[in-house]
């Protein structure tokens, strides 16, 4: 397997890999071998399915449970991660886990707001901090954002704020970690149909409405996003850092004529 610095058998940690986009990222990163640490919060059977998908794709995998957004979350996660790595360095960190939008201004409680920031912002920030001593020079940090940061969707204000925070985190850390050859980027999916959220898009007319706003004229799938993450994780993307890569098929670019 081509590593970020040409080494064989990369190691990767993907948070929130028990379903959806995280599951696809884990399987995609394993396509050429290596080991993927499959983090999950509660969905043990989903994580087991991801481990199987990684193995089918040609890689090795182990699942690590840790609830994010609570005291001790990062310590719990990295106790498992260090056990999986057994002294090997980490090549790729993908911060994918996130809590879903909590509603518009007026419908989000303080507790929901705090939880959203604890899971979507505080956890990835301290995961990066804790991962740095394990991360190989020339490694990769990729955080999943959302097109919500560039679209004014009032139903998702607090969620969009969390994603704007991790985009800023990626840009500033790119400068800090550049001397180690570590690239730090964000990937912003648009409307992405997964097995878990499929019902949302079954609301009559919604899929058609979103498709009509998308330049490439369809909804996204987890593999559309996973391929972009895999590219950023590859040696071919060594000169890209501090960027937000839109992976939405051109959602809401402007009027389509
Ligand atoms: P999803 O189906 O909701 O899956 C979320 C994953 O994160 C699950 O593996 C879940 O683990 C984990 N997770 C969530 N909260 C957690 C917590 N507190 N502690 C530990 N794990 C937690 O998500 P998705 O739709 O695949 O989205 C993946 C990423 O893409 C997210 O960052 C999301 O914001 C972003 N995104 C998605 C879309 C979309 O349309 N799907 C659009 C834009 C951006 P357990 O279930 O095991 O607890």
């Amino acid at each position: 397997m081509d590593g970020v610095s040409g080494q064989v058998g990369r190691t990767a940690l993907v948070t929130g890999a028990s379903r959806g986009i995280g599951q696809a990222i884990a399987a995609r990163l394993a396509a050429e071998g290596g080991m993927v640490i499959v983090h999950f919060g509660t969905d043990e059977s989903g994580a087991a399915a991801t481990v199987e998908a990684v193995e089918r794709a040609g890689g090795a995998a182990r699942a690590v449970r840790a609830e994010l957004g609570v005291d001790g979350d990062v310590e719990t996660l990295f106790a498992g991660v260090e056990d999986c790595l057994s002294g090997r360095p980490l090549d790729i960190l993908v911060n994918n886990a996130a809590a879903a939008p909590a509603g518009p201004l007026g419908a989000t409680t303080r507790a929901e707001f705090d939880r959203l920031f604890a899971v979507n912002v505080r956890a990835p920030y301290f995961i990066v901090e804790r991962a740095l001593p394990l991360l190989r020079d020339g490694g990769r940090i990729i955080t999943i954002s959302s097109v919500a940061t560039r679209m004014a969707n009032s139903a998702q204000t607090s969620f969009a704020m969390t994603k704007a925070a991790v985009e800023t985190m990626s840009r500033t850390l790119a400068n800090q970690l550049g001397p180690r050859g570590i690239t730090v980027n964000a990937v912003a999916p648009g409307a992405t149909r997964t097995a878990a959220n499929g019902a949302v898009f079954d609301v009559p007319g919604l899929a058609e409405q979103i498709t009509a706003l998308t330049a490439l004229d369809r909804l996204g799938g987890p593999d559309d996003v996973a391929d972009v993450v895999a590219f950023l994780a590859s040696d071919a993307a060594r000169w890209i850092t501090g960027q937000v890569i839109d992976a939405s098929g051109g959602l809401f670019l402007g009027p389509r004529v």
Side-chain angles (χ1 to χ4, degrees), residues 15-22 39-44 66-69 95-99 115 119-120 144-147 159 163 188-194 196-197 201:
T15 68
S18 56
R19 60 173 188 258
I21 292 171
H39 160 263
F40 70 104
T42 55
D43 186 354
E44 200 163 356
E67 182 182 357
L68 301 178
N95 280 310
N96 166 80
R115 183 178 141 71
V119 176
N120 294 10
I144 307 304
S145 179
S146 167
V147 291
F159 173 79
K163 293 301 190 180
T192 310
R193 185 176 203 140
T194 68
N197 71 11
F201 295 106

Side-chain angles (χ1 to χ4, degrees), residues 198-224:
V200 173
F201 295 106
D202 287 339
V203 172
L206 183 62
E208 292 74 14
Q209 217 178 337
I210 295 170
T211 298
L213 295 169
T214 303
L216 290 174
D217 211 38
R218 64 171 174 84
L219 292 179
D223 290 342
D224 292 318

Side-chain angles (χ1 to χ4, degrees), residues 104-174:
L105 185 73
T108 308
T109 65
R110 279 174 179 264
E112 286 166 342
F113 184 93
D114 287 348
R115 183 178 141 71
L116 208 53
F117 273 77
V119 176
N120 294 10
V121 182
R122 192 177 70 199
Y125 178 89
F126 287 104
I127 287 172
V128 170
E129 181 186 67
R130 181 63 182 80
L132 278 183
L134 304 174
L135 200 64
R136 187 195 291 279
D137 286 358
R140 302 280 187 263
I141 299 173
I142 300 157
T143 301
I144 307 304
S145 179
S146 167
V147 291
T149 61
R150 67 166 170 82
M151 289 172 52
N153 180 350
S154 307
Q156 299 189 347
T157 298
S158 52
F159 173 79
M161 289 165 68
T162 67
K163 293 301 190 180
V166 292
E167 290 183 4
T168 301
M169 175 182 84
S170 299
R171 198 158 43 247
T172 58
L173 288 180

